[in-house]
Amino acid sequence: MSSVDVINAEGTKAGSVELPGDIFDVQANIPLMHQVVVAQLAAARQGTHKAKNRGEVAGGGKKPYKQKGTGRARQGSIRAPQFTGGGVVHGPVPRDYSQRTPKKMKAAALRGALSDRARDGHIHVIESFVTGDKPSTKAAITTLRKATESRKVLVVLTSLDELNWISLRNEPSVHLIEAGQLNTYDVLVADEVVFTKDALDEFLGVPAEAAEEGDK
């Protein structure tokens, strides 16, 4: 089990938290992470692509010219695939691209991705990006830059953290995600992962009472 410093809104150390070794210090299974990421990207595809075949293209009901005597190849419709404006042969049709991925595989891949970031020192914890009750993008970015200068940052918040969410949502270098939606792809595509203290507790399943006692 390793520990990481907790930074407050002023950029100073406000304590430390333990990162459980069974989540942040496991062997990364690269083929497993690849499979999970491919499945996630596949599930994000709409699959609404469609091309009309010769039976769906408008027109072409009349035989273009007589069968014999013209010296040309016989044709039955100007909507055959070889004609301009004709149907498409073996074109795309709507389909579902999603792949079945067991929950244990997703969890194992996420643990591997978080462990990879943690071993390189790319996991950070911040108490809050702003102080007070008023959102401030400028203040939130100032706090974030005290933890990392990376331009690809994944910030993990709780579902109820509206203050920090509003403060960071317009920053192009930051991707926001709820703790319960954390996934392998977003961790791998980011250079740094920043948790708020509450989001880390929520992700680790720490009860609110225990989290409050730990802060004392």
Side-chain angles (χ1 to χ4, degrees):
M1 181 179 289
S2 60
S3 63
V4 62
D5 293 339
V6 179
I7 302 173
N8 58 24
E10 287 72 35
T12 59
K13 180 179 177 181
S16 61
V17 292
E18 298 293 335
L19 299 179
D22 58 345
I23 296 179
F24 293 93
D25 190 20
V26 300
Q27 182 64 39
N29 187 331
I30 295 178
L32 173 62
M33 290 192 293
H34 176 268
Q35 181 178 344
V36 170
V37 169
V38 168
Q40 182 178 340
L41 296 179
R45 298 182 65 176
Q46 289 186 341
T48 55
H49 40 38
K50 178 69 171 73
K52 293 182 179 181
N53 59 37
R54 63 180 296 171
E56 297 169 325
V57 179
K62 179 184 178 182
K63 189 174 176 64
Y65 46 82
K66 63 182 182 177
Q67 181 84 346
K68 297 180 180 293
T70 65
R72 302 175 62 187
R74 54 191 177 186
Q75 302 292 340
S77 171
I78 59 171
R79 291 296 177 252
Q82 67 269 25
F83 285 103
T84 300
V88 177
V89 180
H90 305 308
V93 293
R95 55 166 292 191
D96 180 13
Y97 282 95
S98 62
Q99 303 175 17
R100 180 184 175 276
T101 308
K103 291 181 180 179
K104 289 185 177 180
M105 289 178 59
K106 293 179 182 179
L110 178 57
R111 289 195 298 268
L114 289 172
S115 298
D116 179 73
R117 292 293 180 262
R119 276 191 287 270
D120 294 335
H122 296 323
I123 299 288
H124 309 278
V125 181
I126 292 179
E127 275 191 337
S128 180
F129 291 92
V130 294
T131 57
D133 299 327
K134 185 177 180 181
S136 171
T137 299
K138 182 177 180 181
I141 295 303
T142 300
T143 302
L144 178 64
R145 294 308 172 211
K146 291 175 181 177
T148 174
E149 292 291 337
S150 175
R151 294 301 170 182
K152 279 182 126 178
V153 182
L154 177 65
V155 175
V156 188
L157 305 173
T158 65
S159 57
L160 301 178
D161 194 354
E162 185 176 356
L163 179 64
N164 287 316
W165 194 282
I166 294 176
S167 299
L168 289 168
R169 65 185 178 183
N170 291 326
E171 171 56 35
S173 66
V174 172
H175 177 62
L176 297 174
I177 193 170
E178 295 180 12
Q181 301 297 320
L182 193 60
N183 59 82
T184 305
Y185 173 77
D186 285 325
V187 172
L188 293 178
V189 80
D191 295 327
E192 308 274 347
V193 181
V194 180
F195 289 86
T196 61
K197 179 64 169 61
D198 292 339
L200 181 61
D201 290 336
E202 181 179 316
F203 174 68
L204 297 177
V206 178
E209 297 78 7
E212 292 175 359
E213 292 177 1
D215 294 337
K216 294 179 181 179

